[in-house]
Amino acid sequence: MYKERFVILMSPSFELLDNLIAHYNNNHPDAPHTLSNHLRSLTHLTEEFTFSFDPKKISSIVALIHDIGKSHPDFQLYVQQSNARKGSVKHALPGALLLSMHRSQFPKTHLPIAYLIENMIAGHHRGLYDMNHSFVKLYDQVPNDGFSDEVKQFVAEQAEVFRNTPALPQWQDPMYCAAFTRLIFSAVIDADWLDTEAYFNSERSSKRIYYGSSFRFFQKKFHEFVEEFPENKLTAYRKAAERKGTESGSYFELTLPTGFGKTFASLSFALEHAKTFNKSRIITALPLINLTSEISALYRDLFGKEHVVEDHSSFLPESIYTEEDPTSRAQLAIENWDRKFIVTTTVQLFESLFSNKPGKLRKVHRLAGSVLILDEFHLLPSQLLPSILKMLDVLMEHFGMTVLLVSATPLPLTTSKAIQELMLRHLPKAIAPPVETPQRVSYSLLGELTEISLSEKLTDDSTLIIVNTRKRAQQLYKLVAKRFQDRPVYYLSTTLTANARVDRVEKIRADLKNRPIVISTSLLESGINLSFQCLFREMAPLPSVIQAAGRCNRYGKELLGQVYLFTWPEPKYPSPSYESGVRHLERLLKEHGTSVFYSSAAMASYYRRVLNQDFKKSPISEKDILQFETVAKKFKMIDSHGITVICPQSSGFQEQWLKEDKTRSWWRKIQPFTAQAPSSMQRHIKYEKGIPVWTGPSNDELGILLI
């Protein structure tokens, strides 16, 4: 294959491309980016990116043909016009059409991949298409005349190389084809954008140069850090996890209760495994942005900021940003994850992996050969788990990924009938023996309460009250603040801006000695290091209750913290799946009482029931696997009815910021002044050039007012 590729790059038909233009810089009209140079550089980069998972060099065919549509005379005229409307002359679909003319020559074994190659070429600007009859019909609107015989011969040479390539058995597996397409497409997009950037902006391109150290070096730095801590039971768990890192395999599981050092234990395993098996990078995915920031800061301290990327989603779509030349090496690295350590949210990870858009998919080829630490995996939306687990299974089987599932809650993933029916090739192996969760709290069931009757049950202890909706939290706050004027009372939820939430948490932390009462939504369930003597929790799914209990007597200073569960007369739930989790827990409580919170068997029973029911609600069916655009629309990690809005009423916000160009650095400046508004309150949202701005009622205590 390498010999054939070399011959093509030196063939007369390829040399013809020396006279054709791929990109043209009007500031340097004497130095166009020739099509031959672009395709040559792109092919070398793509082969480097896909070396570990593309033995048949399918990516090279995509790379060599993806821009061949630019050879058309209409495009050659357009590309040199300084006033031409961007995108007015199409080249992606015509390039795919040229290759499709050779499809009838391919063996049946090659056809699944042949169609996907065409899709990648056709979609390298707008995104991958659904793989159905409508895709082929797109060619009907594309003229195929105007291309020279030499260009047609060049495409024919690529088709011949593909025809003579021995087929792989997995080409007949739709799930493999879906993953393969996304990773190949990702590599081609990354290479394409890197080479184009090198032509237009060599200074920015040079800032991408990165020399990563070995994992042996990073492990040495980690050992130097942890050796400063005294030997204890946490040390034993960490060392046991590190020893397991030398074991072959691609699927592992770590369950350790909160406070038992699962962050360091999982990192110990990942470093040893990456060192032993020559992995490309360590990717850590967490459920919450505040956890992502916390772990990123730890990694930067441990390994150096130049080796760590922190990547989580922003609400602004790519199209809203003004063109900007980032000066930060870290910001550039976010675009394609070219670092040894990636810390991201599970939302960002999986919505990128199941996207069809070039900007989102650009980084996912970096998953190949990586170690993925998937933290608090049980918080993944259960209705999306079939798609997630099958994708991970393929990435482990064919793309060299190792997955470590991490959780503080013993919810077994493999004992569910629903999971077994997925017929996964890999099942996780435990890297630590079962650990009995220390009993730091006592649970009590209060049944149905009103807001007044709840307030009457509050004691003199520091108290956290967590409810399921923001509107209820605001109503309860007003009542409690009025009733307990002699004690500090705080409200915390996403109706407050990001800045205000950070400040509020610090005030609560400083005030814990004064017996505060805090009314919050699930925002305080995890990722915030606070401990209260008493917790009131509105009935919620089992993992949420256990997470919330982690804020009560967190450090074991009390003999037992008190956790009270209650319901409202007319409860409201954030989503149908949330309500389903509540119903499952209520049934378990009738069967087992509060022992469900200590019993591994009861927790396993809960998880099985949730999975068996929610798997039936999966929005993505078997027939959708290769429908890339459809899957991207259906795969939503967050079932949210809110809108992230800018709150110009916030302290410190400057009104003129709304008039500035909407660059990425502008968004980073604005983000601390954003909050979540219900989509039902659109009448109070004004859009400034596509940017949602809150114009409705708000105050310092509650942020956006819902009552």
Side-chain angles (χ1 to χ4, degrees):
M1 191 74 174
Y2 280 113
K3 184 177 179 181
E4 290 171 326
R5 185 68 55 232
F6 177 78
V7 169
I8 286 173
L9 292 175
M10 299 301 293
S11 70
S13 58
F14 188 81
E15 290 176 1
L16 169 76
L17 305 182
D18 287 339
N19 301 317
L20 298 172
I21 298 172
H23 305 104
Y24 190 80
N25 189 338
N26 288 295
N27 296 324
H28 302 283
D30 297 331
H33 194 192
T34 65
L35 196 52
S36 59
N37 279 343
H38 180 47
L39 298 185
R40 187 180 287 113
S41 299
L42 182 61
T43 301
H44 290 321
L45 268 178
T46 302
E47 289 182 352
E48 177 187 328
F49 293 157
T50 62
F51 177 79
S52 66
F53 63 88
D54 183 23
K56 302 303 181 183
K57 298 299 168 192
I58 301 302
S59 60
S60 301
I61 296 172
V62 180
L64 285 167
I65 303 181
H66 87 289
D67 264 358
I68 202 65
K70 290 182 175 181
S71 65
H72 195 281
D74 290 350
F75 186 90
Q76 291 299 300
L77 181 64
Y78 149 83
V79 75
Q80 299 178 69
Q81 294 174 344
S82 59
N83 60 348
R85 183 169 59 85
K86 188 175 181 179
S88 57
V89 177
K90 307 297 182 186
H91 67 275
L93 201 56
L97 173 62
L98 287 177
L99 180 63
S100 73
M101 294 175 178
H102 301 275
R103 200 191 308 129
S104 61
Q105 305 167 15
F106 301 148
K108 285 185 178 179
T109 53
H110 287 48
L111 288 178
I113 297 296
Y115 279 109
L116 293 169
I117 292 173
E118 292 175 35
N119 196 342
M120 287 185 268
I121 295 168
H124 77 267
H125 282 290
R126 59 85 67 189
L128 294 167
Y129 293 86
D130 281 348
M131 206 69 261
N132 54 32
H133 185 64
S134 297
F135 171 68
V136 180
K137 292 288 287 182
L138 291 171
Y139 293 140
D140 293 346
Q141 52 189 280
V142 180
N144 62 3
D145 56 345
F147 289 103
S148 68
D149 291 340
E150 290 84 358
V151 166
K152 292 178 180 177
Q153 176 59 29
F154 175 73
V155 175
E157 290 169 358
Q158 310 308 310
E160 182 66 11
V161 169
F162 178 62
R163 188 175 71 84
N164 293 328
T165 299
L168 294 173
Q170 55 263 36
W171 287 3
Q172 309 309 311
D173 176 5
M175 199 67 214
Y176 168 81
C177 288
F180 182 74
T181 300
R182 287 185 171 93
L183 267 68
I184 294 291
F185 186 72
S186 166
V188 172
I189 293 300
D190 194 18
D192 187 13
W193 292 9
L194 288 172
D195 187 58
T196 302
E197 177 183 83
Y199 169 70
F200 281 107
N201 193 334
S202 58
E203 181 183 354
R204 175 176 168 176
S205 179
S206 67
K207 291 178 181 176
R208 291 187 183 272
I209 298 172
Y210 170 64
Y211 300 104
S213 300
S214 69
F215 280 110
R216 185 176 299 278
F217 168 79
F218 292 124
Q219 187 183 54
K220 183 173 181 291
K221 296 193 76 170
F222 178 67
H223 283 165
E224 290 170 354
F225 176 79
V226 295
E227 281 168 5
E228 296 180 8
F229 296 104
E231 291 272 336
N232 54 31
K233 60 184 178 182
L234 274 64
T235 309
Y237 295 131
R238 175 175 53 76
K239 289 183 175 179
E242 184 170 304
R243 288 192 295 272
K244 286 288 186 179
T246 62
E247 292 188 6
S248 61
S250 54
Y251 208 3
F252 299 88
E253 187 174 12
L254 173 65
T255 302
L256 284 176
T258 298
F260 277 63
K262 64 185 176 68
T263 297
F264 282 168
S266 59
L267 184 55
S268 292
F269 168 87
L271 286 166
E272 180 62 36
H273 196 79
K275 181 190 76 174
T276 303
F277 297 99
N278 195 30
K279 295 294 183 177
S280 58
R281 59 190 41 81
I282 293 172
I283 301 170
T284 303
L286 303 114
L288 300 171
I289 287 177
N290 57 315
L291 288 175
T292 304
S293 299
E294 183 181 311
I295 297 299
S296 298
L298 172 66
Y299 283 15
R300 285 192 290 268
D301 289 343
L302 284 172
F303 308 120
K305 64 181 181 181
E306 67 275 18
H307 299 297
V308 181
V309 160
E310 178 183 351
D311 184 19
H312 42 73
S313 56
S314 68
F315 80 97
L316 292 178
E318 286 293 310
S319 59
I320 210 88
Y321 291 116
T322 302
E323 288 297 322
E324 176 187 35
D325 180 20
T327 57
S328 163
R329 292 177 185 271
Q331 182 64 32
L332 290 172
I334 288 174
E335 296 175 355
N336 67 348
W337 285 6
D338 185 18
R339 288 296 184 271
K340 284 292 186 178
F341 297 91
I342 311 297
V343 186
T344 187
T345 59
T346 50
V347 172
Q348 180 79 328
L349 171 66
F350 290 114
E351 288 197 356
S352 295
L353 183 55
F354 285 91
S355 178
N356 71 317
K357 295 300 183 184
K360 281 277 195 182
L361 284 169
R362 179 181 181 181
K363 56 202 166 197
V364 303
H365 69 92
R366 306 288 185 182
L367 295 173
S370 68
V371 179
L372 171 63
I373 301 173
L374 193 53
D375 198 21
E376 302 297 355
F377 69 88
H378 62 273
L379 295 180
L380 293 170
S382 51
Q383 69 273 18
L384 292 176
L385 264 182
S387 299
I388 291 172
L389 292 177
K390 285 190 284 188
M391 179 64 77
L392 291 178
D393 197 51
V394 169
L395 292 174
M396 289 185 278
E397 180 73 11
H398 296 289
F399 298 87
M401 176 188 272
T402 294
V403 176
L404 173 64
L405 303 177
V406 179
S407 178
T409 310
L411 297 176
L413 189 64
T414 56
T415 59
S416 164
K417 181 181 177 183
I419 297 287
Q420 292 168 1
E421 288 176 351
L422 296 178
M423 303 294 288
L424 302 175
R425 285 161 286 202
H426 300 268
L427 295 175
K429 298 186 292 184
I431 67 170
V435 178
E436 186 175 341
T437 303
Q439 189 169 339
R440 295 176 179 148
V441 301
S442 172
Y443 292 89
S444 301
L445 304 178
L446 300 182
E448 190 175 289
L449 298 177
T450 65
E451 291 172 4
I452 292 175
S453 61
L454 171 59
S455 69
E456 291 171 345
K457 290 185 177 294
L458 300 182
T459 67
D460 286 339
D461 293 331
S462 61
T463 301
L464 171 62
I465 306 171
I466 299 180
V467 296
N468 289 334
T469 67
R470 298 178 302 169
K471 186 174 182 178
R472 177 75 74 172
Q474 291 191 358
Q475 290 171 337
L476 187 60
Y477 168 80
K478 293 191 78 171
L479 185 149
V480 171
K482 185 176 180 180
R483 183 183 180 98
F484 293 89
Q485 296 183 27
D486 58 334
R487 290 174 63 181
V489 180
Y490 294 98
Y491 163 87
L492 191 66
S493 95
T494 54
T495 57
L496 296 167
T497 63
N499 258 351
R501 294 198 299 270
V502 171
D503 291 344
R504 191 70 50 90
V505 168
E506 290 309 309
K507 287 179 181 177
I508 294 169
R509 182 175 285 114
D511 228 358
L512 282 172
K513 60 182 179 297
N514 296 320
R515 305 173 295 108
I517 302 171
V518 178
I519 293 100
S520 176
T521 57
S522 59
L523 189 69
L524 260 183
E525 277 182 359
S526 61
I528 296 178
N529 200 11
L530 294 173
S531 180
F532 297 83
Q533 295 167 299
C534 180
L535 168 71
F536 287 81
R537 182 57 169 101
E538 182 183 356
M539 196 65 75
L542 176 61
S544 294
V545 173
I546 293 173
Q547 290 273 18
R551 306 315 111 190
C552 184
N553 194 26
R554 184 172 178 82
Y555 309 113
K557 292 181 179 179
E558 312 290 331
L559 184 62
L560 279 178
Q562 299 300 316
V563 175
Y564 300 102
L565 298 179
F566 67 94
T567 60
W568 301 118
E570 295 181 1
K572 303 288 184 183
Y573 300 104
S575 68
S577 61
Y578 195 95
E579 182 177 3
S580 174
V582 171
R583 299 289 172 251
H584 286 303
L585 177 57
E586 288 174 339
R587 282 192 287 271
L588 276 177
L589 286 170
K590 287 180 180 178
E591 296 170 15
H592 302 275
T594 57
S595 66
V596 67
F597 300 112
Y598 313 111
S599 165
S600 296
M603 290 184 189
S605 175
Y606 168 87
Y607 203 45
R608 282 194 295 269
R609 292 181 186 187
V610 169
L611 295 182
N612 290 339
Q613 178 172 312
D614 286 2
F615 270 32
K616 299 170 187 175
K617 303 173 185 175
S618 175
I620 300 169
S621 65
E622 290 289 330
K623 64 180 177 58
D624 290 332
I625 289 174
L626 294 174
Q627 310 310 312
F628 297 100
E629 196 164 3
T630 295
V631 166
K633 291 174 181 175
K634 288 183 175 181
F635 192 96
K636 298 300 176 190
M637 291 279 288
I638 300 176
D639 185 12
S640 173
H641 300 289
I643 301 172
T644 303
V645 296
I646 296 169
C647 298
Q649 310 93 331
S650 306
S651 175
F653 188 86
Q654 298 180 30
E655 199 71 33
Q656 71 267 21
W657 289 348
L658 293 174
K659 299 180 175 64
E660 295 175 353
D661 288 341
K662 309 304 184 287
T663 62
R664 289 175 177 82
S665 58
W666 175 87
W667 165 239
R668 289 193 296 274
K669 176 174 65 179
I670 292 292
Q671 196 169 25
F673 302 95
T674 61
Q676 288 284 322
S679 54
S680 60
M681 300 183 77
Q682 285 280 358
R683 66 188 183 281
H684 294 306
I685 300 173
K686 178 183 178 183
Y687 287 84
E688 302 262 2
K689 296 183 178 178
I691 307 296
V693 178
W694 180 253
T695 61
S698 66
N699 64 30
D700 291 340
E701 288 179 317
L702 302 175
I704 293 172
L705 293 179
L706 306 180
I707 54 176

